[in-house]
Amino acid sequence: MEETTCTANECEQPPHARGLCARHYQAARRDGLLSEYRSTARPSIEERFWAKVQKSDGCWEWQAGKSNGYGAFYDTRPSPRKQIPAHRFAYELANGTIPDGMLIDHRCFNRACVNPAHLRLASFKQNREHLAGAMKNSASGIRNVKKYPSREGYWSASITHNKKTIWLGAFDSIEKASQAADDARRQWFTHADSSAA
């Protein structure tokens, strides 16, 4: 159990190191007596990591610092310490080392999630296939769907697979075009396991 006051006799100051306040720590250090005092147990890196996570039945939300929506965690094992994405650290805790060149894909589309059940290995191509919705510059707001240029009220759908565009056709409603694009992603993409408009 962690002390809330210095362990030196009748000292009420908060502990600084080895259970001693700053004044008693410096005195023990000066007198060569630090070895007589216990070293304050530091939490393991895993304990430090999971203390920053709010677990639920679904996503496990990262509660500390973020970068571009992704959790950011300082790994103190290497020297010097380095910041790494929290979801990558969570994946490695559960599954071991991530192979070179592989990314970690969020099945749940939640960048702040570190639930290992929601994470999987993916190549760059697979990670790009598994997107939540349309790109920011999409005029239709629907992934792989745009207005058909030569026919008013029609929508076209196409996907890109292995650097080749696969034309899916022209449709008289955005819903039909969206469904065609969704069906094609499921057929051609290995990581399109979630219907995302």
Side-chain angles (χ1 to χ4, degrees):
M1 183 173 175
E2 192 174 319
E3 286 89 2
T4 58
T5 61
C6 179
T7 56
N9 290 341
E10 299 180 21
C11 182
E12 298 294 323
Q13 295 297 312
H16 167 71
R18 296 194 181 228
L20 298 170
C21 68
R23 184 171 62 87
H24 284 110
Y25 176 82
Q26 289 301 328
R29 184 173 175 214
R30 180 189 63 234
D31 297 337
L33 301 174
L34 275 182
S35 61
E36 295 179 19
Y37 295 93
R38 67 156 180 80
S39 176
T40 305
R42 291 181 143 175
S44 69
I45 193 165
E46 292 85 1
E47 291 169 330
R48 209 168 48 78
F49 178 82
W50 293 117
K52 301 173 188 307
V53 177
Q54 182 180 6
K55 294 183 179 179
S56 69
D57 291 339
C59 290
W60 295 0
E61 294 284 334
W62 182 254
Q63 301 296 300
K66 293 181 180 138
S67 176
N68 199 25
Y70 294 98
F73 179 67
Y74 277 99
D75 186 351
T76 56
R77 294 174 297 182
S79 184
R81 72 184 194 149
K82 65 177 184 172
Q83 184 177 337
I84 58 173
H87 65 285
R88 289 182 67 88
F89 191 78
Y91 182 88
E92 286 189 333
L93 285 177
N95 301 292
T97 304
I98 299 169
D100 287 344
M102 294 300 283
L103 304 174
I104 301 301
D105 182 34
H106 285 87
R107 291 177 184 262
C108 58
F109 300 114
N110 179 357
R111 292 179 175 189
C113 179
V114 294
N115 183 344
H118 292 190
L119 306 173
R120 64 179 166 189
L121 282 174
S123 66
F124 178 79
K125 177 185 181 298
Q126 290 168 328
N127 198 42
R128 296 290 297 162
E129 290 174 351
H130 190 242
L131 298 175
M135 298 300 238
K136 290 179 182 178
N137 63 354
S138 169
S140 70
I142 306 288
R143 186 172 174 208
N144 303 113
V145 174
K146 59 185 176 182
K147 285 188 177 183
Y148 194 70
S150 61
R151 291 181 71 183
E152 186 66 33
Y154 273 74
W155 300 86
S156 67
S158 63
I159 63 167
T160 302
H161 179 64
N162 290 332
K163 299 182 182 178
K164 293 182 182 174
T165 300
I166 300 170
W167 169 254
L168 304 173
F171 303 88
D172 60 4
S173 75
I174 196 168
E175 293 81 15
K176 290 178 185 174
S178 177
Q179 185 61 54
D182 191 42
D183 291 344
R185 286 192 300 270
R186 289 178 186 279
Q187 177 184 350
W188 293 92
F189 296 169
T190 59
H191 278 47
D193 56 356
S194 176
S195 179

